Amino acid sequence: MYRLAVATSAETFERMQGPLAARDIEVGHVKTAERTLALDESPFDEYDVGFVYPSRIMEGAVADAMLDVPWVNDREAILRSRNKADVLARLGRADVPETVVVSNPASEAELTAAFERFDPPVVVKPNSTTRGVGVAKAHDLDSFLGIVDYLDLVHDYRAVGDQSFLVQEYVADAADYRVMVVDGEYVGAVERRLPDASRAQGRWKHNVHRGAEAEGQELPAALRELAEDAADELEIPYLGVDLLVTEDRAVVNETNARPTIDSATKYEDGFWDDLAALIRQTAEQ
């Protein structure tokens, strides 16, 4: 039996325990953040493999050194997926929304030129945000420059490492899918939808953590291949790929190398077998 160190909690950890135990993988939670750690002795049990490198890279490095295990999605995979501009540049403009990356501070002339590349509204998002945090929509130039003013205040703090953000086309009337890919193969997808009441209030972000509902969907082959190609290009074995799909196009909007596992009914038959196989493969590297 393999012992799996899971550096996440809540839904994913709870949902993994039973199905993986049935496949001879014992799941344990390792708390790597919001705690104290004496560096002369590891507080962690012995494990064979880890499941997704910790989200806090600095504290995660300490836990990584103490655990000394290979990871399903290692540090490089987490950093690559978190860097939205890197992901979009690697995937190529044909399969992603039109995007400009801004290394802040930039001159007002450059910012104006970036805004004018698009038909408003535009989406402004921090380059490494998650769960839709800090993402805004600007309908005119003054609103856009006002959002950038707030980003200037944040980026003026010297300890902020990432001083970049994205200006991106707003893909209107798009269905929003989170597609799961395990070891290069499509294993299921959900469509994320806002309740009608939220849409009536002008809400537009489809993040589940912001009130959207996720419903399992069968995707056509073309969309499955788009997600698989993204995972292959990024070389990330366990990946959530966010697709925006309209009547005439489909684009990769973002990726997530630490995606939450949803209920098994929303995935293909064999999902847990595929995930267990990836964990064993990683442990034997």
Side-chain angles (χ1 to χ4, degrees), residues 30 95 111 114 128 132 162 199 215 244 258 267 285:
V30 291
D95 295 330
L111 292 169
S128 55
D162 179 12
R199 293 176 61 86
E215 180 179 331
L244 296 179
R258 305 185 85 253
Y267 299 117
Q285 290 178 351

Side-chain angles (χ1 to χ4, degrees), residues 57-83:
I57 300 300
M58 297 302 177
E59 295 100 310
V62 174
D64 180 34
M66 291 179 171
L67 289 165
D68 191 26
V69 295
W71 294 88
V72 174
N73 288 6
D74 58 14
R75 181 178 185 273
E76 183 178 347
I78 299 300
L79 289 174
R80 184 181 305 128
S81 177
R82 185 176 295 175
N83 185 338

Side-chain angles (χ1 to χ4, degrees), residues 82-224:
R82 185 176 295 175
N83 185 338
K84 299 179 190 303
D86 184 8
V87 166
L88 297 178
R90 288 174 185 269
L91 295 182
R93 62 178 303 169
D95 295 330
V96 303
E98 183 178 357
T99 306
V100 174
V101 60
V102 179
S103 179
N104 206 22
S107 70
E108 184 169 318
E110 288 181 296
L111 292 169
T112 299
F115 179 85
E116 290 177 346
R117 290 174 60 98
F118 303 91
D119 292 327
V122 299
V123 176
V124 183
K125 59 176 66 172
N127 190 32
S128 55
T129 191
T130 61
R131 300 182 175 183
V133 175
V135 179
K137 186 165 61 174
H139 291 267
D140 55 65
L141 179 60
D142 281 343
S143 298
F144 170 67
L145 293 176
I147 293 169
V148 175
D149 286 342
Y150 281 104
L151 289 172
D152 284 341
L153 293 175
V154 174
H155 292 164
D156 192 50
Y157 182 54
R158 293 183 180 182
V160 175
D162 179 12
Q163 298 193 8
S164 62
F165 62 91
L166 305 183
V167 185
Q168 195 169 70
E169 68 169 304
Y170 175 63
V171 183
D173 302 319
D176 185 319
Y177 296 104
R178 161 61 61 83
V179 186
M180 294 287 280
V181 180
V182 174
D183 200 19
E185 298 292 331
Y186 167 90
V187 294
V190 296
E191 181 177 1
R192 301 180 293 192
R193 300 174 181 169
L194 284 170
D196 290 341
S198 296
R199 293 176 61 86
Q201 293 172 338
R203 302 281 297 277
W204 58 279
K205 299 179 189 178
H206 292 159
N207 304 80
V208 172
H209 292 91
R210 290 185 174 267
E213 300 167 349
E215 180 179 331
Q217 295 288 335
E218 288 287 337
L219 293 188
L223 296 183
R224 296 182 182 206

